[in-house]
Amino acid sequence: MTAALFLEQLLNGLQLGMTLFLMSAGLTLVFGVMGLINLAHGSLYMIGAFCCATITTMTGSFLLGLLAGFVGAAIAGLIIEVVVIRKLYDRDHLDQVLATFALILIISEGTSWIFGSSPLYLSIPSWLSGSIPLSFEEDSNSSYPIYRLVIIAIGLIIAYSLYLLITKTRLGMRIRAGESDREMIAALGVNIRVIYSLIFALGAALAGLAGSLVSTLYSVEVGMGEPVLILALVVIVIGGIGSVKGALVASILVGLVDTLGRVFLPNILALFIDNSQVATLSASLASVLVYILMAVILAIRPQGLFPANA
Amino acid sequence: MLNSTHQKGFKEKALNLIILGLIFVTALVTYWLDQGYYVNLVSRVVIFAIAGVGLNLALGYGGMVSLGHAAFFGIGGYIAGISAMHFSENTSFIAGLDSTNQMLTIWLFVIIICALLALFIGLISLRTSGVYFIMITLSFAQMVYYFAISWPDYGGEDGLLISSRNQFLGNDTDNELVFFLICFTVLLLTVFLSSRIIRSRFGTALQVARMNDVRLATVGIRPYPIKLTAFVISAVITGIAGALFADLNRFVSPDMLSWQMSGEIIIFILLGGVGRLSGPILGATLFVLLETFIGGYTEHWKLFLGLVLLIVVLYANGGLMKMVVGEKQHD
């Protein structure tokens, strides 16, 4: 195990964390402000990836593809909000879970109807496909792809912009007001429904951006959103539902624990147990590590790390 | 007012009996017509209904929206599958236990293991409520799911074939009708059990816990142990359904543990009617009908399931039971 390998995995973990943050930021805002649990957020991620793949293939420009993923998911989010989600704000969590579960079924099957069941593949555009060395030693050939660094950078930029949006702008002030007292801000003459739609579309756009960004790393296919959605749910539970800051911290935590766990857990376990089963055991353990992390954190702090409405 | 409530209660009881009777008759008739495929479909309905009745106890009566009951369903299935595998290979379990292919012994295992797991999951999850509870139960089920996928001894991602069904005493479980009768008996027992439970002091406390935790605590009953007990019973029933499901299909796979499965068990309840005794039975019937008949036309039948589900949630809250019987007696 070299320092370069460790650094490489650290960056991989950070990249996963940033993808998760883009997903969970919208999820946590929607819950914090509207009190809605949206399982169909993973479908918006998928819609973003499909838009990006289609437009990139058509125009040859990945930047246009990214834009299409962002805008496409935002439009899809807006439609979903107006047609379905709006009716769910006053319902209990069971109805919200079921209605958004129904949306997953509809969107997934609809997508596979249109695009077929074979996955789409995108390659990283040439101007982003290089890599930079991670080690200064002469004989070392370890390097890190620039593209993943770009994802990390975009994630950080979005996090900072969200921070500015929420703390420094009028819209952000209204979002925060909506978080603490919905009726009051409506009584003060703010059109709360428009704000709800905006927040939902913003969350959808960020999910779409996340889907577009990873569309060159993984295959674009129906069902790609759900594993990410579940990790994002873990993230917002750990971070404290409704808190964007919590989502950022928890995203990075979950990204690092998941990535580093998968790589280094076998080595660590091998120190203690000398057994042929260790590979199996560590693979199983590594895949559930984030859930164990969540269970432990919740056992200590049932409201998550940064409870929003404390 | 009192009279009409009474009538509704009577109507619902009559409906419960009619539904069970119809299922029984359908299985008999299709068997008599030599349509083994349809007998198995009815068994599928019955097994889904058992799972739904189990979850309904926690979700409908106890207000605990568990999005993780697939864990119990799948573990029940895996216990049946693993037993069958060891029995056919004539090998023993991990702990040196003799393997068996007797359903009754296997169910005993399912009950013990699902109860212990549900106790553990419930102890942690019930410290929270609302959305947190939904997500924690989901996460625990995901843990079991990923564990099953990464554990190659028992099929990993590919699942586990059951070369021959487990046996019920001396009966030929490969006969469709015999297998149906086993499932149907279990369904009757679980429906009877849950109707007894919800009418008991415990059941009353459970329903009050759903409506108002504080009120229950005020009369001197702690909600936490009540909810935990209901969660465990609910998990055990769902686990038995899983064991039957594995034997029905002669196959277990991580799909039984997936979160879509958890969602589907909730769908059975919702389509039929939340917190109604035979809600899950009606819901499971509708689900299997959609799956079979629309699934026969297009592989994208879940699109239509989604639309039906969405319409029921948005516009027909209360499911089929409410359409037929009307409002619940009280809530």
Side-chain angles (χ1 to χ4, degrees), chain B residues 173-248:
Chain B
T173 48
D174 284 323
N175 179 297
E176 290 95 354
L177 189 67
V178 171
F179 192 79
F180 165 78
L181 288 174
I182 295 170
C183 300
F184 193 67
T185 313
V186 175
L187 176 66
L188 288 182
L189 285 175
T190 47
V191 170
F192 177 71
L193 180 74
S194 50
S195 81
R196 296 295 300 185
I197 288 177
I198 53 180
R199 275 170 184 71
S200 68
R201 277 168 54 88
F202 168 77
T204 314
L206 178 67
Q207 294 177 69
V208 176
R210 176 192 75 222
M211 297 175 224
N212 194 333
D213 262 3
V214 181
R215 203 187 292 170
L216 190 64
T218 316
V219 294
I221 303 174
R222 285 176 57 209
Y224 185 82
I226 300 271
K227 284 186 163 178
L228 189 58
T229 314
F231 189 74
V232 170
I233 299 173
S234 150
V236 165
I237 296 176
T238 308
I240 301 256
L244 285 169
F245 195 64
D247 271 326
L248 173 72

Side-chain angles (χ1 to χ4, degrees), chain B residues 141-188:
Chain B
Q142 287 300 106
M143 269 193 223
V144 180
Y145 173 76
Y146 285 118
F147 225 89
I149 278 193
S150 55
W151 197 265
D153 294 4
Y154 295 122
E157 217 159 331
D158 300 329
L160 196 62
L161 277 172
I162 297 176
S163 50
S164 69
R165 271 182 192 158
N166 293 304
Q167 296 300 304
F168 191 85
L169 301 175
N171 298 293
D172 174 24
T173 48
D174 284 323
N175 179 297
E176 290 95 354
L177 189 67
V178 171
F179 192 79
F180 165 78
L181 288 174
I182 295 170
C183 300
F184 193 67
T185 313
V186 175
L187 176 66
L188 288 182

Side-chain angles (χ1 to χ4, degrees), chain B:
Chain B
M1 183 65 199
L2 197 71
N3 192 29
S4 95
T5 339
H6 188 74
Q7 265 182 357
K8 266 177 197 157
F10 177 75
K11 224 170 141 188
E12 182 161 350
K13 265 181 209 149
L15 188 66
N16 293 344
L17 288 178
I18 292 172
I19 294 165
L20 288 171
L22 274 180
I23 286 178
F24 187 67
V25 170
T26 314
L28 282 187
V29 170
T30 46
Y31 183 73
W32 181 65
L33 292 171
D34 216 14
Q35 299 285 333
Y37 170 75
Y38 288 101
V39 184
N40 281 339
L41 267 189
V42 184
S43 298
R44 189 179 170 84
V45 169
V46 171
I47 292 168
F48 282 162
I50 299 169
V53 169
L55 177 60
N56 203 15
L57 207 56
L59 184 146
Y61 296 104
M64 292 169 270
V65 183
S66 162
L67 198 50
H69 260 51
F72 310 116
F73 192 71
I75 282 176
Y78 266 95
I79 292 174
I82 290 169
S83 301
M85 182 188 111
H86 281 300
F87 189 80
S88 68
E89 289 177 354
N90 219 346
T91 48
S92 60
F93 276 127
I94 307 166
L97 285 166
D98 272 344
S99 52
T100 177
N101 73 337
Q102 278 300 325
M103 283 187 183
L104 288 175
T105 321
I106 291 169
W107 291 350
L108 188 67
F109 266 105
V110 173
I111 291 173
I112 294 170
I113 292 176
C114 283
L116 287 177
L117 184 74
L119 191 66
F120 172 73
I121 294 181
L123 272 174
I124 296 179
S125 315
L126 284 169
R127 282 166 51 89
T128 64
S129 61
V131 169
Y132 283 90
F133 182 81
I134 299 175
M135 292 185 191
I136 293 164
T137 46
L138 169 66
S139 302
F140 276 114
Q142 287 300 106
M143 269 193 223
V144 180
Y145 173 76
Y146 285 118
F147 225 89
I149 278 193
S150 55
W151 197 265
D153 294 4
Y154 295 122
E157 217 159 331
D158 300 329
L160 196 62
L161 277 172
I162 297 176
S163 50
S164 69
R165 271 182 192 158
N166 293 304
Q167 296 300 304
F168 191 85
L169 301 175
N171 298 293
D172 174 24
T173 48
D174 284 323
N175 179 297
E176 290 95 354
L177 189 67
V178 171
F179 192 79
F180 165 78
L181 288 174
I182 295 170
C183 300
F184 193 67
T185 313
V186 175
L187 176 66
L188 288 182
L189 285 175
T190 47
V191 170
F192 177 71
L193 180 74
S194 50
S195 81
R196 296 295 300 185
I197 288 177
I198 53 180
R199 275 170 184 71
S200 68
R201 277 168 54 88
F202 168 77
T204 314
L206 178 67
Q207 294 177 69
V208 176
R210 176 192 75 222
M211 297 175 224
N212 194 333
D213 262 3
V214 181
R215 203 187 292 170
L216 190 64
T218 316
V219 294
I221 303 174
R222 285 176 57 209
Y224 185 82
I226 300 271
K227 284 186 163 178
L228 189 58
T229 314
F231 189 74
V232 170
I233 299 173
S234 150
V236 165
I237 296 176
T238 308
I240 301 256
L244 285 169
F245 195 64
D247 271 326
L248 173 72
N249 300 325
R250 295 193 182 86
F251 180 60
V252 204
S253 75
D255 283 350
M256 276 179 74
L257 293 161
S258 69
W259 75 290
Q260 283 90 345
M261 190 69 231
S262 297
E264 278 167 18
I265 304 179
I266 302 184
I267 293 178
F268 306 149
I269 300 179
L270 180 104
L271 289 180
V274 178
R276 311 289 279 247
L277 204 50
S278 40
I281 309 176
L282 268 180
T285 311
L286 183 62
F287 183 90
V288 173
L289 284 177
L290 280 174
E291 179 185 56
T292 311
F293 292 106
I294 300 187
Y297 288 108
T298 165
E299 55 173 327
H300 301 295
W301 70 277
K302 283 200 173 168
L303 179 71
F304 298 96
L305 174 68
L307 287 172
V308 170
L309 186 60
L310 198 57
I311 291 168
V312 171
V313 175
L314 292 182
Y315 303 106
N317 226 330
L320 288 174
M321 286 297 284
K322 189 174 157 190
M323 291 183 200
V324 184
V325 188
E327 288 289 345
K328 247 197 313 190
Q329 297 161 40
H330 47 73
D331 191 78

Side-chain angles (χ1 to χ4, degrees), chain A residues 141-187:
Chain A
N141 55 359
S142 65
S143 59
Y144 199 76
I146 291 175
Y147 186 74
R148 286 178 185 258
L149 292 176
V150 171
I151 295 185
I152 297 175
I154 292 179
L156 289 173
I157 292 169
I158 297 276
Y160 187 65
S161 325
L162 269 182
Y163 165 77
L164 289 183
L165 174 78
I166 290 174
T167 55
K168 304 280 188 246
T169 66
R170 178 167 288 266
L171 176 65
M173 192 173 70
R174 287 178 172 165
I175 291 176
R176 278 179 289 136
E179 228 167 352
S180 49
D181 196 328
R182 271 177 260 177
E183 282 82 16
M184 186 57 89
I185 180 169

